[in-house]
Amino acid sequence: MATVKSPLNDEARKITAEALQGALIDLIDLSLFAKQAHWNLNGRNFKIVHEHLDEVVELARTYTDEVAERAIALGINPDGRVRTVADRTRIPQLEPGYVADDKVAAAVTDVLAQMIERFRERVRATDEPDPVTQDLLIQATRELEKQHWMFQAQV
């Protein structure tokens, strides 16, 4: 079986792998979190929030793929299995059933704020070991911050 050889030294690869795997878990669960909210949303601002949640899902899915492909390009096997995500997610989960639009907007704002903090930590961690991965994480953080601003404006 052929394997991808990493251009990074062992220490840089380890730091980068941790950053990419953490980002992958955050992004996969963000897409699931946003879809759960999307399906169970109700309230006066249903349509606006419903459609906005799709933007978050699209962002999360796009960067999930980018992060996973960056990992594999470095010889790091990404792990997006359901059990891995369920065991390692740091995103608080919504309660089952209908959720009011204002509560969804507040929950998404909080989740994005937490994720942004973790993404910024990953940006700092990858500065020296892998600036290419850092660039990807910066791009994702920029988009997360934009969504955070837009949801925060609804709260």
Side-chain angles (χ1 to χ4, degrees), residues 118-127 134 137-138 141:
R118 290 191 294 274
F119 266 74
R120 285 183 165 269
E121 289 171 11
R122 294 173 186 127
V123 166
R124 285 188 290 277
T126 55
D127 177 43
Q134 182 192 45
L137 295 171
I138 289 169
T141 305

Side-chain angles (χ1 to χ4, degrees), residues 36 39 49 69 89 103 124 135 144 149-150 152 155:
Q36 181 69 18
W39 295 324
V49 177
E69 288 179 358
T89 189
K103 289 186 181 189
R124 285 188 290 277
D135 184 57
L144 291 168
W149 154 56
M150 291 181 168
Q152 191 174 31
V155 176

Side-chain angles (χ1 to χ4, degrees), residues 34-95:
K35 267 303 182 189
Q36 181 69 18
H38 173 90
W39 295 324
N40 291 286
L41 180 70
N42 66 14
R44 181 172 286 150
N45 295 312
F46 170 84
K47 183 166 176 42
I48 294 165
V49 177
H50 185 78
E51 290 173 355
H52 195 174
L53 287 164
D54 275 339
E55 290 179 29
V56 173
V57 171
E58 183 179 340
L59 178 159
R61 289 179 178 169
T62 296
Y63 280 101
T64 293
D65 199 47
E66 293 287 329
V67 164
E69 288 179 358
R70 177 66 188 152
I72 204 70
L74 297 173
I76 300 162
N77 294 108
D79 188 353
R81 296 174 298 166
V82 171
R83 174 61 54 214
T84 302
V85 175
D87 288 346
R88 294 185 52 198
T89 189
R90 294 169 64 187
I91 293 177
Q93 302 300 297
L94 292 170
E95 294 297 320

Side-chain angles (χ1 to χ4, degrees), residues 9 12 32 74 115 123 146 153:
N9 67 43
L32 297 171
L74 297 173
M115 281 185 63
V123 166
K146 180 179 177 183

